[in-house]
Amino acid sequence: MDETSEPPPLNRDPAFYGMTATQFLGAFNDNLFKQLMLLLAIPIGAAAATEQDQQGLATILFSLPFIIFSGYAGYLSDRFSKRRIIVAAKVAEIAVMLLGAAAFLLYGHVGYTGLLVVLFLMGMQSSFFGPGKYGVLPEMLREADLPRANGIILMTTFLAIILGTASAGILGQVFVNEDLPLTDSASGLWIGSAMCVAVAVAGTLTSLLIRRVPAAQPKLEFGLSSLVVPPDARRTLSNDRPLVMALLAGSMFWMVGGITIPSVNSLGMVQLEAGKLGTSILTAIIGLGIASGAVVAGRLCHGKADFRIVRVGLWGMVLSLCVLCISSPGGVHLLGFWGSLPLLVVLGVSAGFFAIPVQVFIQTRPPAEQKGRLIAVMNQFNFVAILLSGLIYTLFDRLIDLWGWPRSCLFGMMAILVLPLAIGYRPRNEGLIVAPASDAKTVDRGD
């Protein structure tokens, strides 16, 4: 299709299928590798008395590259075609996954530190993929299709999370012998990481289906300010309070998500004693809820950012987190393993309701020539939040150990974090309807 012609409807657009498949395969890889690492990071049995949970450190190291490199990644995504950046990032993913397989195979020599180095490189690769991935959608699709497209991509992303996380649990159950020292048994997980190499190759091939789009600003010059928030992006944000508030709200989604996954892992492994497979099922089931919520929210938005759906999602998150928190004085969880599954689905659906309208608004609000850089700013916001989630999870983990509370109390602490947003984030729909970039200055900016 010619770059200037009208995009086809979503269901007949091979470029959209290519983008969806590329994102699905990348999310599968990220979550398979990360979950394999996180399950190794939780001390259980006798080790729990002498070792600390390292999930918070892993979360911090994965998010740090997004803070360091997202500004430059945003510059590249506006300076060059976003398709070109996406394909290059997928090629880099192959190299990182090869290093991951080597780190597992040589675990007895490089230990957990080797895996943390690979995790940092994964974050770096993803930081360059992100602005292209999010920014290419409004460039290659009709604006009215964006809510549905975002719903489908978020749905398939969390289906990938389900499959990747569950696969990690199966591989951990099969290849890690908990009767042996970790240095002797963890190397068997190289097989799972080798699967990631094949998936990265497949994702590179599907990225070639993405439609060629012109560079947004082919003459854009690089400046040191591109490493943080560029001056024109700062000016846009300073004049657009609703956009800033949406960026902050979206960051809260990722911060809570960054705490939720290690919290569920800790609940399953320590309090519910569900083992690696059962714990990965608990984690994956949240993805099922988010996938469902994303599709429903995308349809309910009717082509615009409907913030009434966001408020439903926020209160659903608060209530489900509160119920998941409850344990008896003896440390027996109110819901147990099977009872937790439907509540985790509700938590995921609520998160999908929260995320989709905010995501659509952030994608479509900025002027066309700034989308890549402002989406890179969004990535920086999000991954500052994810980095903070690693610190916050580590703090919560230490407090619970200090006070002798059950692991389910992590969810109550998260509910306290979300509650102020549920109470205070009340944007008016009439001021937040998506407008064409050329009319951006005439839109009501009320919040």
Side-chain angles (χ1 to χ4, degrees), residues 17 72 87 126 158 213 272 289-290 294 322 330 347 379 384 394 432:
Y17 290 136
Y72 187 60
V87 173
S126 296
F158 282 96
V213 294
L272 300 180
I290 296 178
C322 286
L347 176 61
N379 271 350
V384 166
T394 300
L432 292 168

Side-chain angles (χ1 to χ4, degrees), residues 70-126:
S70 281
Y72 187 60
Y75 158 78
L76 291 178
S77 71
D78 281 338
R79 171 67 176 79
F80 302 101
S81 168
K82 292 178 177 60
R83 178 188 184 272
R84 181 176 172 183
I85 300 301
I86 290 169
V87 173
K90 297 304 293 183
V91 171
E93 184 183 337
I94 299 173
V96 174
M97 290 297 103
L98 284 168
L99 289 174
F104 275 117
L105 184 62
L106 300 174
Y107 189 88
H109 300 286
V110 301
Y112 202 71
T113 302
L115 293 176
L116 289 173
V117 170
V118 175
L119 192 65
F120 181 87
L121 294 174
M122 279 179 60
M124 184 188 299
Q125 178 268 330
S126 296

Side-chain angles (χ1 to χ4, degrees), residues 69-80 82 130-132 134-135 139 215-223 225-237 243 247 362 366-381:
F69 299 110
S70 281
Y72 187 60
Y75 158 78
L76 291 178
S77 71
D78 281 338
R79 171 67 176 79
F80 302 101
K82 292 178 177 60
Y134 289 115
E139 290 186 7
Q217 277 193 278
K219 297 182 179 180
L220 182 66
E221 294 184 0
F222 175 74
S225 61
S226 297
L227 298 177
V228 283
V229 182
D232 51 353
R234 285 201 297 272
R235 285 192 294 272
T236 299
L237 292 172
L243 180 57
L247 286 168
I362 293 170
E369 69 277 7
Q370 293 184 33
K371 284 189 190 296
R373 279 161 293 155
L374 280 167
I375 288 171
V377 171
M378 176 193 75
N379 271 350
Q380 288 175 313
F381 273 58

Side-chain angles (χ1 to χ4, degrees), residues 10 26 29 168 201 240 261 273 349 366 392 394 440:
L10 207 60
N29 256 358
V201 171
D240 197 338
I261 300 305
E273 298 180 346
V349 169
I392 293 168
T394 300

Side-chain angles (χ1 to χ4, degrees), residues 49-73:
T50 58
E51 299 177 15
Q52 296 287 351
D53 187 328
Q54 297 188 71
Q55 294 184 96
L57 175 61
T59 301
I60 291 167
L61 283 176
F62 181 74
S63 58
L64 189 60
F66 287 86
I67 299 169
I68 298 172
F69 299 110
S70 281
Y72 187 60

Side-chain angles (χ1 to χ4, degrees), residues 186-203:
S187 60
L189 292 175
W190 76 269
I191 297 173
S193 199
M195 288 173 49
C196 293
V197 177
V199 173
V201 171

Side-chain angles (χ1 to χ4, degrees), residues 227-281:
L227 298 177
V228 283
V229 182
D232 51 353
R234 285 201 297 272
R235 285 192 294 272
T236 299
L237 292 172
S238 67
N239 294 322
D240 197 338
R241 178 179 169 83
L243 180 57
V244 173
M245 296 305 295
L247 286 168
L248 292 172
S251 297
M252 177 60 75
F253 170 82
W254 292 104
M255 185 172 75
V256 173
I259 303 170
T260 298
I261 300 305
S263 297
V264 173
N265 284 336
S266 183
L267 175 73
M269 293 287 285
V270 179
Q271 188 172 353
L272 300 180
E273 298 180 346
K276 288 183 171 62
L277 179 57
T279 298
S280 291
I281 290 172

